[in-house]
Amino acid sequence: MKRVLIANRGAVASRIVRALDALGVESVAVHSDADAELPYVRQATRAVRIGGPSACESYLDQQAILRAAIDQDCDGIHPGYGFLSENAGFARGVEEAGLTFIGPSSRWIALLGDKIRAREYFRPLGMPMLASSDELHSLQDLEDAVARIGLPVLLKPSGGGGGIGMTPIHQADQMAAAWERSSSVSAKAFGASSLYAEQLAVQPRHIEFQFLADRHGAVCCLFERDCSVQRRHQKVIEEAPASGIPVQALSAITARLEGIMADIGYDVIGTVEMLYDPRHGFSFLEVNTRLQVEHAVTEEITGVDIVAAQIRLAYGARLDDVLGASPQRHGHAIEARLYAEDPVRFFPSCGVLEAYEFPDGDGIRVERAYGPGNRITPYYDPLLAKVIARAEDRAACIARLKQALAATRIQGVKTNIPFVLRVLDDPAFLGSAYSTDRH
């Protein structure tokens, strides 16, 4: 490793720069015209303008990013999360250019990026799953699938993510409208209208399992995270470990997943996302073949630098050398995603950050995307920062996060901090009696 290009922006770009610095590796930040003044651009060893303000003109321009990496004599590209991080064609292009793609091998991204193919692949390997259909091509296909699976079902794009295009169907007379909505949204968001139907779990928890793996056959699960607090299927609060789920159930599914991922020879980094409800237990959702936004909560309870580990593993390091002793976890960590958005209707809020101040203190970590005076534009996801609290137990962790958010000062745009504070005070959250269905 000598020099790595970061094909991303904001908070994750700053996080990757920090990991590369710790490894003694130079970093090259690419930026759009809209992001030229963001902190990550100054933090990197070098910076390169990649294009105009929109994502299509910049962070999604595969050829421009590859040219920049080659021109800057980089030997690797870290895609962060979002944008091109799960684009199999881009990963393959990086590999064919003789560079290291800092993520799983492109074949895993291609296979697991399609939810139908992923389910077909994992089902015979013993992955627990809810009943689902094959690919649906028409409303008649949907009706036939519902007759077999039973209601309620969730209609989902096979190539999607982030909850985009998912439509619950509770009654038969909802099928036609659901089909029109999901196929239209899927075509616009993912370039294809491929859909499938899955049995709808009632009041489930969203639990995910963090994996690191080397290219020599070794796999390690760094325990679980609870990501059940969501709005519009987007995660807002994540925590580790998961509370209110039987320890025996968590231990059993962790061992089962670790065995499956080792058997298939998965590599570098990935997260297996599951639903949990007492009736069905754990059931498979998808594998995210990238670094997760919420990786910090796992880092806080294990002491593992997941980003540095991802980089070293992509370059061929052995898992034992990266992790040392078998990772253990201690304490509790909770992350709140702070967005520039209206806290009631959740519409994005644009403007100049007149104030952007966060508290320091024991057990508080802040991953910043911006700095004072920076402009929040309409071109990208409105994530402002991530605030992570760590404490010895969950109650103390919640109290510490509330104190940190109360002391946070952001002016110039609206934020979702009032919403997050309401969640942290909600009796269902405090009692670990919540689910993705709670609004």
Side-chain angles (χ1 to χ4, degrees):
M1 286 182 284
K2 180 181 69 174
R3 186 175 299 129
V4 169
L5 181 139
I6 304 166
N8 219 293
R9 63 180 296 278
V12 69
S14 291
R15 175 68 185 90
I16 297 167
V17 168
R18 192 163 75 245
L20 290 169
D21 286 347
L23 293 171
V25 179
E26 293 184 0
S27 54
V28 177
V30 296
H31 66 85
S32 70
D33 290 340
D35 288 342
E37 301 303 318
L38 294 196
Y40 81 93
V41 177
R42 298 188 301 275
Q43 293 162 356
T45 310
R46 304 181 182 185
V48 177
R49 176 189 177 273
I50 201 70
S54 73
C56 291
E57 296 173 295
S58 51
Y59 305 106
L60 293 175
D61 189 335
Q62 300 181 36
Q63 294 307 310
I65 289 172
L66 278 171
R67 283 197 304 270
I70 294 168
D71 290 346
Q72 294 297 316
D73 195 25
C74 295
D75 45 66
I77 295 179
H78 197 308
Y81 43 69
F83 294 132
L84 297 172
S85 62
E86 293 181 285
N87 186 303
F90 177 67
R92 194 176 307 114
V94 173
E95 295 165 352
E96 291 172 351
L99 307 179
T100 297
F101 179 78
I102 302 177
S105 302
S106 59
R107 68 188 183 97
W108 290 122
I109 301 174
L111 173 65
L112 302 179
D114 185 293
K115 292 184 175 64
I116 295 175
R117 290 182 65 201
R119 295 176 69 84
E120 292 172 347
Y121 179 79
F122 279 119
R123 185 178 286 110
L125 299 177
M127 183 72 77
M129 297 183 184
L130 294 171
S132 65
S133 72
D134 296 327
E135 183 175 351
L136 306 174
H137 301 282
S138 66
L139 177 59
Q140 183 61 55
D141 286 349
L142 173 60
E143 292 172 349
D144 293 343
V146 167
R148 178 175 61 83
I149 298 170
L151 291 172
V153 300
L154 188 63
L155 187 60
K156 305 170 72 172
S158 65
I164 298 171
M166 297 196 321
T167 307
I169 302 173
H170 295 274
Q171 299 175 4
D173 60 6
Q174 297 174 335
M175 283 193 279
W179 177 263
E180 289 299 322
R181 179 186 181 280
S182 288
S183 56
S184 175
V185 172
S186 179
K188 292 176 182 176
F190 309 116
S193 56
S194 176
L195 304 173
Y196 71 103
E198 178 182 84
Q199 185 179 16
L200 181 65
V202 179
Q203 295 186 330
R205 299 275 288 278
H206 187 133
I207 310 296
E208 63 183 28
F209 298 81
Q210 175 70 64
F211 280 87
L212 292 175
D214 62 25
R215 301 196 192 275
H216 311 282
V219 171
C220 178
C221 181
L222 293 177
F223 311 106
E224 82 283 349
R225 297 184 288 255
D226 190 318
C227 306
S228 303
V229 179
Q230 304 175 6
R231 57 104 176 96
R232 297 175 182 168
H233 302 293
Q234 291 285 351
K235 301 167 187 173
V236 180
I237 296 174
E238 300 101 350
E239 62 180 303
S243 63
I245 296 177
V247 173
Q248 298 90 335
L250 287 167
S251 298
I253 191 63
T254 299
R256 190 171 181 181
L257 294 177
E258 204 166 50
I260 290 173
M261 298 300 271
D263 286 345
I264 67 175
Y266 191 83
D267 59 16
V268 183
I269 194 169
T271 300
V272 181
E273 304 216 2
M274 311 285 284
L275 291 179
Y276 173 83
D277 70 75
R279 177 183 175 189
H280 298 102
F282 284 97
S283 55
F284 176 74
L285 272 178
E286 61 183 347
V287 175
N288 283 327
T289 53
R290 56 168 168 81
L291 180 72
Q292 293 280 86
V293 178
E294 57 273 17
H295 70 276
V297 293
T298 300
E299 292 183 327
E300 289 299 310
I301 65 167
T302 63
V304 175
D305 185 329
I306 292 175
V307 182
Q310 175 189 8
I311 295 167
R312 293 181 63 194
L313 293 167
Y315 276 85
R318 290 187 176 274
L319 191 62
D320 286 346
D321 295 332
V322 171
L323 295 180
S326 179
Q328 304 297 312
R329 59 182 176 186
H330 306 280
H332 202 95
I334 305 178
E335 172 182 286
R337 302 189 193 188
L338 304 190
Y339 289 100
E341 63 184 15
D342 182 282
V344 177
R345 296 182 296 172
F346 304 117
F347 293 153
S349 177
C350 297
V352 175
L353 289 171
E354 299 165 4
Y356 187 77
E357 302 170 5
F358 299 89
D360 294 320
D362 183 49
I364 295 296
R365 168 177 167 181
V366 181
E367 298 286 345
R368 295 168 172 82
Y370 297 90
N374 286 158
R375 178 176 292 277
I376 309 301
T377 69
Y379 301 111
Y380 314 112
D381 182 89
L383 180 69
L384 287 169
K386 298 180 291 179
V387 178
I388 304 101
R390 184 189 181 282
E392 288 304 308
D393 57 55
R394 187 172 188 261
C397 192
I398 293 171
R400 181 167 287 170
L401 182 56
K402 287 170 59 179
Q403 284 184 321
L405 295 176
T408 296
R409 184 167 171 262
I410 298 175
Q411 294 180 350
V413 296
K414 296 179 180 179
T415 80
N416 68 331
I417 291 177
F419 167 75
V420 173
L421 288 171
R422 287 199 301 273
V423 172
L424 295 177
D425 278 331
D426 190 285
F429 180 79
L430 295 172
S432 299
Y434 59 102
S435 71
T436 60
D437 286 350
R438 184 177 175 86
H439 300 289

